[in-house]
Amino acid sequence: MKKSVFSTTLLSLALLISGFAQAQGIETVYSLKFDSTAAVKAAMTELFEDDDLRGSKATLYAHDYGVPGDGTHTIVGDYDSYAARSKFSKARMESHGWAKYLLATQGTELVSADLVAVVKDYGKPRHTAGYLVAYTMQVGDPGRYVAALDKLHDAIGDPGVLRLVGIRSGPANVTHAVLIGAEDFVAANEYLDKLLTSDAYAAFVNEVDDVRKIHNVAMYRRVGAWGY
């Protein structure tokens, strides 16, 4: 019995390490309350015209369905490492573009800010999707979950984007999120129709049901992406 438990633990750890080895960096995720999508898109565009932000990457999403809190938009910054995040954050805060952005978005309310680590990408990078569905959850055995998600993806594929991330901040009972992205609202939801009614998904649920608890499902529309 001890040998079996030990072997299972090693397998879970190996799978988790493998997932992080394939990670493409970290994300900073900001939920904000804006009055105008057009205004914040224009402000973001002007911000990224500043030479001091060269190398920075960010995506702006408008909230569509199921997003908790009072935010209307989400901005996701992409970084290759913690050091890159510190470097680009400092450059942004000291830039003229940032001062202009703050002036153009007066009255904006910051609802939340979180740090996210990319565990594994099965498809294209997240910013390529025009529409994004995010399942936030608590995972008790990440290695087992990754193994099951691998099998699910092998069986059913993805609509363009399928990303697993580990959530490093915020409520302690939310540890991971699965991001499913497609060209648009129709493509994303048609994929979900196919996925959720498949035998492969039923098998996946049987494998992870006792180690996964879904807390929320939210949908986002991409407004713009800069620096990619």
Side-chain angles (χ1 to χ4, degrees):
M1 178 64 73
K2 288 183 179 179
K3 183 178 179 181
S4 175
V5 171
F6 184 65
S7 298
T8 301
T9 302
L10 282 180
L11 175 61
S12 297
L13 181 60
L15 287 167
L16 183 58
I17 291 173
S18 173
F20 276 108
Q22 299 178 48
Q24 296 188 3
I26 62 170
E27 300 174 343
T28 51
V29 183
Y30 301 95
S31 176
L32 304 114
K33 189 173 182 179
F34 289 111
D35 292 330
S36 166
T37 295
V40 67
K41 182 179 182 181
M44 290 284 290
T45 299
E46 185 175 17
L47 172 64
F48 275 83
E49 289 174 352
D50 192 316
D51 287 341
D52 289 339
L53 271 77
R54 187 168 297 162
S56 297
K57 301 174 183 178
T59 314
L60 171 65
Y61 297 94
H63 296 179
D64 212 357
Y65 294 103
V67 183
D70 296 326
T72 58
H73 295 77
T74 289
I75 296 175
V76 182
D78 284 296
Y79 307 94
D80 293 332
S81 65
Y82 301 119
R85 184 268 171 192
S86 297
K87 171 188 172 182
F88 288 123
S89 180
K90 183 175 185 295
R92 171 176 54 82
M93 297 289 285
E94 295 176 353
S95 70
H96 292 297
W98 181 241
K100 293 178 181 178
Y101 171 85
L102 292 177
L103 185 62
T105 58
Q106 291 184 78
T108 298
E109 179 184 342
L110 176 63
V111 177
S112 64
D114 287 297
L115 180 65
V116 170
V118 180
V119 176
K120 193 167 184 179
D121 273 329
Y122 294 88
K124 299 175 183 178
R126 171 196 40 75
H127 74 273
T128 62
Y131 202 82
L132 197 66
V133 182
Y135 287 74
T136 51
M137 57 197 173
Q138 182 177 20
V139 177
D141 188 336
R144 183 170 148 197
Y145 185 86
V146 169
L149 191 59
D150 285 345
K151 288 194 289 185
L152 177 62
H153 183 257
D154 288 343
I156 204 76
D158 61 72
V161 171
L162 179 61
R163 170 175 283 190
L164 174 66
V165 300
I167 300 175
R168 298 292 185 84
S169 63
N173 65 339
V174 178
T175 62
H176 292 77
V178 168
L179 310 177
I180 297 172
E183 181 179 359
D184 53 27
F185 170 83
V186 172
N189 281 281
E190 286 181 345
Y191 171 80
L192 288 178
D193 289 343
K194 173 185 172 183
L195 172 71
L196 298 176
T197 58
S198 68
D199 292 339
Y201 184 74
F204 170 77
V205 171
N206 285 335
E207 290 188 50
V208 303
D209 196 45
D210 62 334
V211 297
R212 177 200 67 164
K213 181 178 181 181
I214 297 175
H215 288 290
N216 193 69
V217 183
M219 298 183 179
Y220 306 84
R221 175 176 52 85
R222 187 189 64 198
V223 175
W226 296 266
Y228 297 99

